[in-house]
Amino acid sequence: MAVEGEQQLQTNGHAKQAEESANSIQSKELRKKKRKKFLIFVAVSTLFQIAITLFSSLYIMKVKTPKFRIRSATFDVLSKNAEYSSFNITMNAEFGVMNANFGPYKYRDNTVYFFYKGVSIGKAFVSHGKAGFKSTKKFNVVVNLSSKDVLTKDSQIRNDLNSETLILTSKSKLEGKVALIFVLKKKKSTEMDCTITVGLADKVIRNIDCD
């Protein structure tokens, strides 16, 4: 009976050791799995942060140059005299400041100059304003254009008036700042250089081409 008892104790001891060994192995495997999950989480989080940083630096934080353009125009007054090589135009022009940035563009007061064959024929004052992020600020300005400073002996103006077509140009430089994340501000200027084809007979803008 004593021998059987000893054998039973040994059997129980071996079983307990085997159970403890199995539990230890299982515990190590669980710790390995948790450590592996933690490392995967850290790696994914790091990659996500890197992706966000790259996206911000390459796309959101990249400052693009806004565009300042004449969008359209109509005429309140359009008179011409081919004999005296003269014209007078009152034009209602719609301007647009196009901002493609992830932040508003605040621009200063500005003047748009109009030319015929390089000679100044009028100007328009543009007051300061703001184009919201990813949007276009539109506004209208009345412009008076006159050929009084153009040489009347210039045969080109007479020919243009007889052909019922005037080619005008407009130039300007708009200065301002783009606010990114409403904190970081970067100076940005944009230049207008537009060619305007005016149809005198039907009193319409036939084409506006801006660089």
Side-chain angles (χ1 to χ4, degrees):
M1 295 294 292
V3 175
E4 290 180 358
E6 290 179 359
Q7 290 178 346
Q8 184 66 31
L9 289 172
Q10 290 177 354
T11 301
N12 290 339
H14 289 315
K16 187 175 182 180
Q17 288 179 355
E19 184 178 355
E20 291 177 349
S21 178
N23 288 337
S24 177
I25 293 171
Q26 188 176 9
S27 178
K28 288 181 179 179
E29 289 179 351
L30 286 174
R31 285 198 296 271
K32 285 182 179 179
K33 287 181 179 180
K34 288 181 178 180
R35 191 159 47 244
K36 186 177 180 181
K37 288 181 179 180
F38 176 74
L39 292 174
I40 291 174
F41 174 77
V42 171
V44 171
S45 298
T46 302
L47 289 174
F48 181 74
Q49 291 177 359
I50 292 173
I52 291 295
T53 302
L54 287 174
F55 178 77
S56 298
S57 60
L58 296 177
Y59 192 61
I60 296 179
M61 300 299 288
K62 184 179 180 181
V63 180
K64 300 178 182 178
T65 301
K67 295 180 179 180
F68 183 33
R69 300 286 187 266
I70 295 179
R71 295 173 55 86
S72 63
T74 57
F75 300 108
D76 294 329
V77 176
L78 196 162
S79 62
K80 67 181 182 69
N81 190 317
E83 183 180 354
Y84 293 99
S85 301
S86 65
F87 62 81
N88 285 284
I89 298 172
T90 300
M91 181 171 66
N92 187 359
E94 182 186 83
F95 294 91
V97 180
M98 292 154 276
N99 178 30
N101 293 291
F102 283 92
Y105 176 61
K106 294 182 179 180
Y107 54 88
R108 304 174 186 171
D109 294 342
N110 180 259
T111 302
V112 180
Y113 297 92
F114 292 83
F115 302 89
Y116 170 78
K117 303 298 181 182
V119 179
S120 178
I121 58 172
K123 59 185 178 181
F125 176 74
V126 175
S127 59
H128 64 278
K130 180 177 72 173
F133 71 92
K134 289 289 183 179
S135 66
T136 299
K137 170 71 173 181
K138 303 174 186 177
F139 53 91
N140 288 75
V141 177
V142 176
V143 188
N144 294 313
L145 307 176
S146 174
S147 61
K148 62 181 181 179
D149 293 327
V150 179
L151 293 177
T152 56
K153 64 181 180 180
D154 188 347
S155 61
Q156 183 62 54
I157 185 173
R158 187 177 293 107
N159 293 336
D160 288 345
L161 292 173
N162 285 326
S163 68
E164 304 288 355
T165 301
L166 283 180
I167 305 296
L168 310 179
T169 57
S170 64
K171 295 182 182 294
S172 180
K173 184 176 183 180
L174 196 65
E175 296 183 341
K177 292 181 179 179
V178 176
L180 298 174
I181 319 179
F182 303 99
V183 177
L184 179 63
K185 294 183 179 180
K186 292 190 176 182
K187 292 182 179 180
K188 211 68 180 176
S189 63
T190 178
E191 294 189 6
M192 172 195 290
D193 188 359
C194 297
T195 301
I196 308 162
T197 304
V198 180
L200 299 176
D202 43 9
K203 298 183 180 182
V204 296
I205 296 291
R206 292 178 184 170
N207 185 49
I208 299 176
D209 184 21
C210 298
D211 294 332

